[in-house]
Amino acid sequence: MIQLGYFTIDTPDIDKARAFYSAVFGWRFDEASSHPTYLHVAESDPPFGFTKVERARDFAHLYFKVEDVDALCKRVTELGGKAAIPSDSATGRSVVVSDDQGVSFSLWQPAAGF
């Protein structure tokens, strides 16, 4: 079963997002996993964070947890969708894809321990 593994919320200002969401929801942030363009929300399930962008979207970006990003990129394109080039980070391998109607989402293959 594929499940939601991660998501991000776009924001033009990380510090304002930190102040607003901590005041509204009491959220705390994981400073070790954060940096100037990313703010990780502590103790969330599924995990998520804020990504600094120039123009924010008014919806979250979803990352579906999968076992093999590369195999699913191939499947997405076979079905008429599009896939960017996957990238690797400390948390695993991920890629932005879109369905055959242009709706984007991401695939995330967690690294060991995530």
Side-chain angles (χ1 to χ4, degrees):
M1 178 171 93
I2 301 297
Q3 63 183 355
L4 181 62
Y6 193 84
F7 69 93
T8 58
I9 299 171
D10 290 349
T11 183
D13 190 315
I14 292 285
D15 293 328
K16 282 186 176 182
R18 177 193 310 269
F20 181 85
Y21 289 95
S22 64
V24 170
F25 297 121
W27 289 348
R28 293 180 303 116
F29 301 93
D30 179 357
E31 300 306 325
S33 298
S34 299
H35 50 78
T37 60
Y38 177 75
L39 179 62
H40 188 75
V41 177
E43 302 171 9
S44 60
D45 187 23
F48 73 99
F50 293 86
T51 303
K52 181 177 174 56
V53 296
E54 288 189 32
R55 182 189 293 166
R57 296 177 286 192
D58 60 355
F59 55 89
H61 189 80
L62 305 176
Y63 290 73
F64 292 98
K65 187 176 179 180
V66 300
E67 290 185 22
D68 188 337
V69 160
D70 298 298
L72 283 174
C73 283
K74 182 178 177 184
R75 186 73 178 132
V76 163
T77 58
E78 289 171 353
L79 293 170
K82 295 182 181 177
I85 297 170
S87 63
D88 296 303
S89 71
T91 62
R93 188 165 178 79
S94 63
V95 64
V96 176
V97 299
S98 62
D99 67 16
D100 60 347
Q101 298 180 71
V103 177
S104 69
F105 57 95
S106 286
L107 305 173
W108 174 53
Q109 180 180 330
F114 280 90

